[in-house]
Amino acid sequence: MQQEHERVSATLTPDAVAERLERMILDGVFRPGQLLPSERRLCERLGVSRTSLREGLRVLRSKGIIVTRQGRGSVVAELVAGRDDSPLMHLFRDHPRTLYDLLEVRSLLEGESARLAAERATPADRVLIQRRYEAMAEYVEAGQAIDVERLAHLDHAFHLAICQASHNPVLVHTLQSLTDLLLSSVFASVKNLYHRERPRAMINRQHAWLYRAVMEGKPQAARRAALDHLHGIEAQLREIEAEDQRLERSAMRLDEWG
């Protein structure tokens, strides 16, 4: 029976091979910028002949979904063209007030992705979420001086693993298209809050709640944990901003009497 299946698969049309590869890209198996496995491994994985695979790859190249470089293989193209260099991205990055807008968008997207992840995560998804969570937690608990950029990347990777477990390709690619902006919001949160004892304890506690809710398959608890986490960060940042403004006003009044 297996041999019959392999013979049928080997006769797939190029469009059918391309469609299967497209689905793998949509599902996040192969991500933008990632080098595709060798032809031999792809043939084994898809159960197709090398001729069918090459024709399928040609279809993807014609659509701009992959880019092939001589001697380097095929890479998944950036699916959102020019996302990092567009004028809109520059405006967002250069105006810190958009941080709160980003947190609002994260609440909309990540609350739902956490709910879906708790419902849909496979055993493999849970392994990846566990690895990302433990890498972040172990770095925090190591007791060494925190590298803000490194912790921001570990934090973002944890949230992205949860999003990928939602198995909603549109949701995943929407978040991935905002990677630089989302990383900037995580970086701002870590930089401004993590050196303060109370916000740090809050963030660690909320990450743990989110992790447990997803891993235990509790959709509503996972959504609530994600929202509480992001709303808590926003509240803490606004409090710091208000405190800075109070200090500035006090200093100005003092100068008047100098």
Side-chain angles (χ1 to χ4, degrees), residues 7-253:
R7 285 197 299 272
V8 172
S9 296
T11 60
L12 285 175
T13 65
D15 285 338
V17 174
E19 184 178 348
R20 291 178 66 178
L21 288 168
E22 286 174 356
R23 172 53 56 184
M24 295 172 82
I25 292 170
L26 277 174
D27 289 342
V29 177
F30 303 129
R31 297 180 297 279
Q34 181 177 346
L35 181 68
L36 292 180
S38 66
E39 287 187 356
R40 179 180 62 80
R41 288 188 62 192
L42 282 174
C43 287
E44 291 173 354
R45 185 164 189 173
L46 299 175
V48 298
S49 69
R50 185 160 291 191
T51 300
S52 296
L53 176 67
R54 287 176 175 173
E55 286 299 307
L57 292 173
R58 184 184 61 78
V59 172
L60 294 187
R61 277 195 300 275
S62 70
K63 295 180 178 181
I65 295 173
I66 64 170
V67 177
T68 302
R69 298 181 179 88
Q70 189 66 31
R72 295 181 58 188
S74 297
V75 174
V76 180
E78 293 294 340
L79 301 180
V80 182
R83 70 182 191 201
D84 298 336
D85 298 322
S86 71
L88 183 61
M89 293 301 103
H90 284 302
L91 280 173
F92 283 162
R93 278 195 296 266
D94 293 342
H95 292 272
R97 294 296 305 175
T98 60
L99 172 60
Y100 298 119
D101 298 322
L102 275 172
L103 288 169
E104 190 173 88
V105 170
R106 286 185 63 189
S107 295
L108 293 170
L109 299 178
E110 293 184 27
E112 188 63 14
S113 67
R115 183 185 71 80
L116 293 174
E119 286 182 351
R120 300 175 178 177
T122 66
D125 291 327
R126 289 192 174 91
V127 168
L128 182 59
I129 292 170
Q130 181 179 358
R131 288 176 180 171
R132 296 290 183 258
Y133 175 75
E134 290 179 348
M136 177 180 63
E138 287 170 6
Y139 181 70
V140 167
E141 293 166 4
Q144 58 191 13
I146 295 294
D147 180 317
V148 173
E149 188 170 351
R150 182 177 177 188
L151 181 55
H153 277 87
L154 291 171
D155 187 315
H156 178 66
F158 167 61
H159 287 284
L160 183 58
I162 291 174
C163 181
Q164 290 169 335
S166 73
H167 291 273
N168 183 316
V170 175
L171 188 56
V172 173
H173 287 284
T174 298
L175 276 171
Q176 287 181 329
S177 72
L178 297 172
T179 290
D180 284 353
L181 285 174
L182 296 181
L183 260 176
S184 71
S185 79
V186 176
F187 182 86
S189 303
V190 173
K191 180 180 179 182
N192 289 289
L193 300 179
Y194 220 79
H195 64 286
R196 299 168 182 249
E197 184 176 351
R198 190 164 65 89
R200 179 173 66 247
M202 178 198 75
I203 291 170
N204 292 342
R205 185 171 60 251
Q206 290 170 341
H207 277 153
W209 288 344
L210 175 58
Y211 171 69
R212 285 199 300 271
V214 172
M215 296 294 280
E216 293 171 5
K218 298 178 178 177
Q220 294 307 320
R223 181 177 182 276
R224 174 47 53 195
L227 293 177
D228 286 349
H229 173 55
L230 293 164
H231 293 165
I233 287 173
E234 179 181 355
Q236 290 292 326
L237 289 173
R238 287 190 184 279
E239 175 56 30
I240 291 171
E241 186 176 55
E243 180 183 337
D244 288 343
Q245 290 172 355
R246 288 194 294 269
L247 290 171
E248 183 178 352
R249 286 194 297 269
S250 298
M252 290 173 66
R253 287 196 294 268

